[in-house]
Amino acid sequence: MHDLASKRLLLVHAHPDDETIETGATMARYAAQGAHVTLVTCTLGELGEIIPPGLAHLSAEAGGGLGGYRIGELDAACAALGVTDHRFLGGAGRFRDSGMMGLPSNDAPDSFWRADPDAAAALLLRIIAEVRPQVMISYDQHGFYGHPDHIQAHRVASRAFSQAREIVSKFYATALPLSALAEAIAVEGTSFTKVESPATLPFGTPDDEVTTAIDGRGYLDAKLAAMREHATQISVEGPFFALSDGIGLRALGTEYYTLLSPSPPAGQSREDDLFAGIG
């Protein structure tokens, strides 16, 4: 088995803040244990909805500036997680935030949604060749909740993984079991909106599709600190957070994944280590 110093994990996320919300505790845990953690972010998130009124001038409608500002937020969040190796795919600003599905911004020629997946995968392959990760994480084919940039990140990461099988042993998608989601929506005592059922939310993974649970509860404070650094996008109250829709969820210290490749053996219990089975 690999010792921690030789473990290398590469994560492919769509926008700044995605890494913290979905994988922050995982990144902090492996980084603290000595693994090399590389984060690749595909866009600057220029079209994100801004929460603090005092930063509304950064919005695309007000002339922009949000993308550059979010570079600083991401730098601070990575520092909070103990992650020192962060890159933008093709360089900062190479691919533009595509906006939510169905918006005119999806059709912008420089949007990530309109990028050639093979060309973008070639850029990712350069990083893979340099870093030589044994494990990659991105999203499932639905992009976790259907955002075009998340779907495209899956396509790009999947194509790169298929061409780097001699380097990368395992490829995961982020996941959130419906049972864990049901427990996370209890937000009494906050100003956030409470939903009555996970079925009203655009995400959630059937429990039997979740293959891996990473216990990062010891790094939950680091994850919450990183969330606070993404102040344009995330509001934090105690252990709870909300995005611009105001719907509150509990920040999770245990984070979940589905192993996309190789297929897990039938009947195998959930893994507790992303590097399990790598000799």
Side-chain angles (χ1 to χ4, degrees), residues 202-236:
F203 49 84
T205 311
D207 283 44
D208 62 1
E209 296 180 10
V210 177
T211 64
T212 309
I214 301 302
D215 184 356
R217 289 175 293 177
Y219 303 94
L220 180 57
D221 285 346
K223 177 174 178 172
L224 287 165
M227 283 185 167
R228 288 190 289 270
E229 297 292 355
H230 285 294
T232 62
Q233 306 299 303
I234 307 174
S235 299
V236 180

Side-chain angles (χ1 to χ4, degrees), residues 67-77 229:
Y69 191 89
R70 293 186 74 178
I71 292 174
E73 290 187 326
L74 182 55
D75 286 345
E229 297 292 355

Side-chain angles (χ1 to χ4, degrees), residues 39 66 113 197 230 250:
L39 171 64
L66 180 58
W113 183 237
S197 168
H230 285 294
R250 181 183 293 275

Side-chain angles (χ1 to χ4, degrees), residues 82-144:
V83 173
T84 58
D85 185 8
H86 168 255
R87 300 109 182 276
F88 285 100
L89 185 65
R94 173 68 175 270
F95 301 109
R96 185 171 175 80
D97 186 349
S98 306
M100 298 300 288
M101 187 68 81
L103 293 179
S105 53
N106 297 171
D107 297 323
D110 58 348
S111 71
F112 189 45
W113 183 237
R114 292 297 174 189
D116 178 347
D118 289 321
L123 296 172
L124 183 56
L125 280 165
R126 295 178 190 173
I127 300 174
I128 292 171
E130 175 191 342
V131 176
R132 303 191 67 82
Q134 299 102 341
V135 176
M136 285 178 55
I137 295 173
S138 190
Y139 313 109
D140 62 19
Q141 62 181 339
H142 307 294
F144 188 68

Side-chain angles (χ1 to χ4, degrees), residues 9-99:
L9 172 64
L10 186 146
L11 304 96
V12 181
H13 279 289
H15 315 103
D17 83 3
D18 292 324
E19 81 295 328
T20 297
I21 295 168
E22 299 189 46
T23 59
T26 299
M27 294 168 68
R29 169 185 154 169
Y30 281 103
Q33 293 177 345
H36 187 99
V37 178
T38 300
L39 171 64
V40 177
T41 306
C42 297
T43 79
L44 302 184
E46 298 94 333
L47 300 183
E49 296 183 12
I50 298 172
I51 296 174
L55 295 176
H57 63 281
L58 296 173
S59 70
E61 295 79 8
L66 180 58
Y69 191 89
R70 293 186 74 178
I71 292 174
E73 290 187 326
L74 182 55
D75 286 345
C78 284
L81 298 174
V83 173
T84 58
D85 185 8
H86 168 255
R87 300 109 182 276
F88 285 100
L89 185 65
R94 173 68 175 270
F95 301 109
R96 185 171 175 80
D97 186 349
S98 306

Side-chain angles (χ1 to χ4, degrees), residues 136 161 165 168-173 258-264:
M136 285 178 55
F161 170 74
R165 297 296 297 272
V168 188
S169 298
K170 301 172 81 175
F171 181 38
Y172 289 92
T258 296
L259 180 60
L260 300 180
S261 184
S263 298

